[in-house]
Amino acid sequence: MISQTSAVLKANKAAGNGNLIGYFPAGYPTLDESIEASIAMCQNGVDVLELGVPYSDPVMDGIVIQEATMTALENGFKLKQTFDAVREITAKVDTPVLVMTYWNPVIQYGIENFARDLAAAGGAGLITPDLIPDEAAEWLEISDKYELDRVFLGTPSSSPERMKTACDLSRGFVYAVSTMGITGARAEVDANARKVVAKVREASETANTAVGIGISTADQVVEVNSYSDGAIVGSAFVRAYADGGVEALVAKTVELSARLKN
Amino acid sequence: MSEQNLRSHVGPYFGEFGGRFVPESLIAALDELEATYNTAKADPAFAIELAELHRTYTGRPSIITEAKRFAEHCGNDVRVFLKREDLNHTGSHKINNVIGQALLTKRMGKTRIIAETGAGQHGVASATAAALFGLECVVYMGEVDTERQALNVARMKLLGAEVIPVKTGSRTLKDAINEALRDWVANVENTHYLLGTVAGPHPFPTMVRDFHSVIGTEARQQMLDEFGFLPTALAACVGGGSNAIGLFHAFLDDADVKMFGYEAAGDGMDTPRHAATLNYGRPGVLHGARSYMLQDEDGQTMESHSISAGLDYPGVGPEHSWLKDLGRVEYRGISDAEAMDALRLLSRTEGIIPAIETSHALAGVIKLGKELPAGSSVLINLSGRGDKDMETAGKYFGLLDAAKAGN
């Protein structure tokens, strides 16, 4: 099968462009507003959308995303609205939509139910921050059945063996965790980012890899694209939206993507 | 169902429970911890060092006290024995695990420990071990808990630890664990997460259980040596479940010994405000392991409620989930009111003020004793002392107002 996400990443790179993968939480601040915001990101320079599922215990997320997802939950976000959001976004734009979700909501919905409904809504696959390949047997099988991408994480501390597993089992791209830490803007993306990407390249000749955690400026986006297949930005978008709504979000999207396109 | 060989079971899985549901960033650290622990376990010098620290610092073995006047309230002709973990240094069972993990921290060459705490007992024990071993120590504690356990916050600070009040989510133990995990992801190179209960990703549930199994190992031998029989039943309170598994483990293959775990029922088992995870939860993934947990239909963790900060947790260790499904241990709920009555009763009948957490087990035995045949005996893990709870108990019983009024 051909991964829609992988096709987009490779096509942009082949054309000499970079890739910007943008995160936004479903249901933040409300479902409709999150759909509007996500579409605006896709129309203004985001190449792959990472749609976050609000979750009560997001251990991989810093305070900006924590606060946004808590707002979504307080405003009544329900898990099945994830599929409504994916459906409405993919109806308007061709951008691949990956859903970023902690694993318990998927288990409770039923892994197969979740995959079936995500595929039916036009979603491209899942990014699973707290599901390691070792625990993913059922997800591997079901994501094959529904032809969904599955993005596992590679980190500075991953052993060569684990990195190879992440590369072999990921589809779409490997999420290269740039630094030992949680989501949130950092002044400098760690030199670790280059090391992680180098580890991915050593482990696999074919796997795409995009760098995430801590990226918030156009300079960082350009730099990361010089040695990887894309830059992942989350907190900077959420903060822009929190400060100035869709207008500020669009401005941030344009700012971060402008220098990636020939 | 076979009740044999339950004792020899180790993680990562307990039946369908356990595992490692954490970000990849933590896997190398968990692997290092597991390898270090396995090496230490096979090294006689480690066992000797740990035992010596327990003898000269913790105060082990802890004694068994027969609670004769309390037993009069627990049905006819039922004997009640207390395994006195409240007499350990720092006032609870938590020190057993902390000393063990602090030794492993040194072996790994790490210089900083972080810990979560609910009631503050694990935080105090961690701060104590950090002082003893010269480690930097940061304790995450829900803001709600820093208020209801202010005395323990002062103790931790006096011991040199930094206490960080956690203001996210429900601002209790669950959120303190989230924050500790976030710290660990960022600082894993020099930091050991000294997890305080038998939950979390492998190897924590197995390792923490092993460090606490000294409770049951001692108690089983003490019962045989001092009284000549094993108890009819064991009882312990269950939040994450460390003191309960510590007592139960040595007896798991004694098929005639019944086991009862008492969860916090908060306002009552017929209300939604409780922390009775094994009674009312269903399997899911929380804090790195698959286990029973309190959650809504979307898998969002629900807030738990208990007067006891140490039991106010919507999850539970995976081995307990397994023992529940096997039918080896029966888990029941005890309300705030029942626990507080038991706290006062033990104080007045035995001169022992128990922790509010522990009081759930005592309240359970007041009821259980009436179901057991005459001549039965119950061994309770008296997991902690109640000094830290004087503010809560004082308010609950109106003792502080009375003092102010000059009574």
Side-chain angles (χ1 to χ4, degrees), chain A residues 102-120:
Chain A
Y102 291 88
W103 198 236
N104 195 49
V106 181
I107 294 175
Q108 301 307 324
Y109 195 84
I111 299 174
E112 174 137 25
N113 294 340
F114 201 98
R116 185 196 58 229
D117 289 357
L118 179 62

Side-chain angles (χ1 to χ4, degrees), chain B residues 293-354:
Chain B
M293 57 179 284
L294 297 177
Q295 56 186 321
D296 70 11
E297 61 172 0
D298 279 356
Q300 308 285 355
T301 312
M302 283 164 61
E303 283 186 26
S304 53
H305 297 276
S306 170
I307 192 170
S308 138
L311 304 183
D312 197 352
Y313 180 57
V316 68
E319 191 168 4
H320 283 292
S321 293
W322 180 62
L323 293 171
K324 170 195 159 73
D325 281 7
L326 287 175
R328 181 65 187 94
V329 181
E330 187 178 327
Y331 297 88
R332 300 177 173 185
I334 290 294
S335 70
D336 290 351
E338 291 170 322
M340 294 308 286
D341 284 351
L343 183 150
R344 185 167 57 186
L345 183 64
L346 191 76
S347 302
R348 294 190 174 179
T349 54
E350 301 293 341
I352 298 169
I353 302 177

Side-chain angles (χ1 to χ4, degrees), chain A residues 156 163 176-179 189-202 209 211 219-220 222-228:
Chain A
M163 190 61 95
V177 176
S178 70
T179 183
V189 174
D190 211 286
N192 269 331
R194 283 177 188 272
K195 283 189 207 153
V196 181
V197 171
K199 286 170 91 167
V200 173
R201 300 300 188 216
E202 261 170 53
T209 184
V211 177
D219 284 346
Q220 289 171 332
V222 169
E223 187 200 331
V224 159
N225 266 285
S226 71
Y227 58 85
S228 76

Side-chain angles (χ1 to χ4, degrees), chain A residues 34-57:
Chain A
S34 69
I35 293 167
E36 182 196 359
S38 299
I39 291 169
M41 288 169 74
C42 296
Q43 289 172 336
N44 287 280
V46 160
D47 301 293
V48 174
L49 183 72
E50 182 184 341
L51 186 70
V53 174
Y55 175 56
S56 54
D57 296 276

Side-chain angles (χ1 to χ4, degrees), chain B residues 83-139:
Chain B
K83 177 63 172 167
R84 299 291 305 279
E85 292 297 298
D86 62 316
L87 296 179
N88 293 340
H89 181 43
T90 73
S92 81
H93 71 291
K94 292 290 187 188
I95 191 89
N96 302 324
N97 165 50
V98 164
I99 296 281
Q101 286 198 49
L103 287 177
L104 296 179
T105 305
K106 299 282 275 189
R107 280 189 169 224
M108 290 185 287
K110 294 187 173 182
T111 56
R112 177 175 180 265
I113 57 171
I114 55 174
E116 84 295 340
T117 200
Q121 294 301 84
H122 175 60
V124 166
S126 298
T128 298
L132 178 65
F133 292 103
L135 301 165
E136 187 190 344
C137 178
V138 173
V139 179

Side-chain angles (χ1 to χ4, degrees), chain B residues 70 263-271 273-275 305-308 311 333-346 354-364 366-367 392-393 396-397:
Chain B
F70 179 80
E263 299 191 298
D267 289 353
M269 290 296 270
D270 52 352
T271 78
R273 291 175 53 83
H274 59 74
H305 297 276
S306 170
I307 192 170
S308 138
L311 304 183
I334 290 294
S335 70
D336 290 351
E338 291 170 322
M340 294 308 286
D341 284 351
L343 183 150
R344 185 167 57 186
L345 183 64
L346 191 76
I356 297 177
E357 289 76 17
T358 311
S359 300
H360 287 70
L362 294 161
I366 293 172
K367 292 170 146 180
T392 305
Y396 187 88
F397 294 118

